[in-house]
Amino acid sequence: MNFLISGGAGFIGSYLCDKFISEGHTILCIDNLLSGKMKNIKHLLKKSNFYFLEKDIIEQIDINYFFDKLDYIFHFASLASLPYITKYPIHTELTNSIGTYNLLKLAVRYKSKFILASTSEIYGDPDIHPQVETYFGNVNTIGPRSVYDESKRFAETLTMSYFNNYGIDIKIVRIFNTYGPRMACDGRVVLNFIHQAINDENITVYGDGQQTRSFCYIDDLIDGIYKLANSDYNNPINIGNPQEITIEKLANKIIELTNSKSKIIYKSLPVNDPLKRCPDIYRAKEILQWEPKIDLESGLNEVIQYEKENNIYMS
Ligand code: UDP
């Protein structure tokens, strides 16, 4: 089959490329390389069933040159980390609005299936815990995070309208915090802490560190996305690991696993930083027979090992 993967040079997108190439599908990976990296896909470039197109999905997309049929669109392009979305707010909004629109138009034209990478951020700073898919969320429409949160909410709405109005077979995956090898050190907590710990630098905990997150290892996430993509389910579904941890405990765990001399220092909490986050995965368990298998400690050890081998900042 022919697949288009937007954001295919990004952290999650590149693992999707690997998965579908290994199954013998033909992939058109589209990425503007703003946060995606060629090194994530360089091992695929020589494959005859892999095409790379450096392009921004905000612009019109024409795939005639590559395919005359397109079976599935995986829409995984978007900036996601706080430093990036605050540096490029309008670009983030347009990727998730115009970019999603451009890809949905392709889905109509080629009668492709369509899967949208949505996010736990659509729940904002939640007052329902853990977050179940039927919860509408608590998002500040004009806060610094809203450029991502609200545009992903709009992307979900637009995607659902294409399901209702054009009968496109759509899927919406709400991705909770994910980590793994290849993740960029772009301000997100797991990579920040691992880099700081490996280099015996201060570990920067924001706020009092009592806010929680629930971290899912990349292999588990890809397995969940794969099962959703192959299902008949068209409503949003949470994919994440419900093993919840405070950020302070995460810092201590990483210090311990890296045998680091680092000390924790406390910095101010970013505006509208959600105080807790944990997925309710009942729906994924029931509908996809999916649940995560990799516990936090094993996953962190994989990333620590990878970063020790690849971390350019290490002395
Ligand atoms: N965080 C932190 N120190 C850092 C980076 C992040 O304490 O160096 C905190 C951040 O304030 C948030 C949590 O870790 O409470 C997760 O942040 P991240 O940016 O990784 O993901 P998100 O907030 O989007 O879930």
Side-chain angles (χ1 to χ4, degrees):
M1 288 203 286
N2 293 341
F3 291 1
L4 186 164
I5 301 182
S6 78
F11 167 48
I12 298 173
S14 68
Y15 281 95
L16 289 174
C17 291
D18 286 347
K19 173 86 183 161
F20 293 120
I21 285 286
S22 76
E23 293 198 331
H25 298 298
T26 303
I27 305 294
L28 172 58
C29 165
I30 302 184
D31 203 299
N32 65 0
L33 300 179
L34 195 51
S35 61
K37 301 272 178 299
M38 284 311 286
K39 68 175 185 193
N40 291 340
I41 51 166
K42 70 171 188 304
H43 56 290
L44 298 174
L45 294 173
K46 53 187 180 304
K47 304 233 179 229
S48 59
N49 56 337
F50 184 80
Y51 304 115
F52 174 68
L53 176 62
E54 183 176 344
K55 188 175 172 66
D56 201 312
I57 56 163
I58 292 171
E59 293 154 22
Q60 288 288 337
I61 307 163
D62 187 353
I63 60 159
N64 278 337
Y65 178 78
F66 302 96
F67 293 147
D68 52 12
K69 79 176 185 66
L70 178 61
D71 300 286
Y72 222 129
I73 297 173
F74 287 74
H75 178 18
F76 280 70
S78 176
L79 298 174
S81 76
L82 191 59
Y84 268 96
I85 63 167
T86 34
K87 186 167 178 201
Y88 301 104
I90 295 169
H91 195 270
T92 306
E93 289 153 5
L94 295 182
T95 303
N96 290 317
S97 53
I98 310 274
T100 304
Y101 175 58
N102 284 337
L103 292 173
L104 282 164
K105 281 193 295 185
L106 275 188
V108 173
R109 178 159 167 212
Y110 287 91
K111 298 188 172 51
S112 326
K113 293 185 178 190
F114 183 92
I115 183 163
L116 171 71
S118 186
T119 166
S120 55
E121 285 282 327
I122 66 109
Y123 299 120
D125 188 9
D127 34 34
I128 299 273
H129 194 71
Q131 289 76 61
V132 64
E133 288 89 343
T134 48
Y135 175 50
F136 294 160
N138 175 35
V139 176
N140 173 1
T141 57
I142 54 167
R145 304 175 84 95
S146 64
V147 302
Y148 183 67
D149 302 6
E150 286 296 354
S151 62
K152 282 289 187 187
R153 289 167 68 94
F154 174 75
E156 285 199 7
T157 311
L158 190 65
T159 301
M160 201 44 92
S161 295
Y162 270 74
F163 172 68
N164 290 323
N165 291 277
Y166 292 98
I168 299 295
D169 186 356
I170 63 101
K171 326 280 169 200
I172 298 173
V173 52
R174 290 186 181 154
I175 300 171
F176 282 65
N177 297 67
T178 302
Y179 69 104
R182 284 189 207 164
M183 192 175 190
C185 190
D186 59 5
R188 280 179 286 186
V189 68
V190 173
L191 266 290
N192 262 14
F193 285 0
I194 288 177
H195 275 221
Q196 290 163 344
I198 289 175
N199 293 303
D200 289 328
E201 292 165 3
N202 289 333
I203 306 273
T204 54
V205 167
Y206 301 157
D208 61 6
Q210 296 313 301
Q211 70 273 35
T212 68
R213 292 295 186 273
S214 309
F215 296 96
C216 185
Y217 191 67
I218 185 70
D219 292 0
D220 281 331
L221 176 81
I222 296 297
D223 185 38
I225 294 170
Y226 182 82
K227 287 187 165 137
L228 175 61
N230 287 304
S231 77
D232 293 327
Y233 195 67
N234 301 115
N235 276 311
I237 200 153
N238 291 338
I239 298 288
N241 189 323
Q243 194 188 347
E244 189 179 2
I245 186 171
T246 68
I247 294 304
E248 190 180 56
K249 282 204 175 115
L250 176 73
N252 282 315
K253 189 173 266 301
I254 290 174
I255 290 173
E256 180 195 317
L257 294 176
T258 49
N259 240 327
S260 172
K261 298 189 193 67
S262 294
K263 299 269 170 291
I264 292 178
I265 57 163
Y266 294 85
K267 296 197 154 187
S268 57
L269 190 68
V271 176
N272 296 146
D273 197 292
L275 293 183
K276 49 193 178 309
R277 181 179 295 149
C278 180
D280 180 315
I281 58 165
Y282 179 79
R283 202 177 263 192
K285 278 184 182 164
E286 285 296 298
I287 292 166
L288 307 178
Q289 283 77 53
W290 174 87
E291 62 182 314
K293 297 189 180 73
I294 298 154
D295 65 80
L296 184 61
E297 197 160 309
S298 316
L300 286 175
N301 277 328
E302 291 293 323
V303 184
I304 289 164
Q305 190 57 34
Y306 180 88
E307 290 301 315
K308 280 185 175 164
E309 282 160 17
N310 296 276
N311 180 356
I312 52 166
Y313 304 111
M314 243 181 76
S315 47

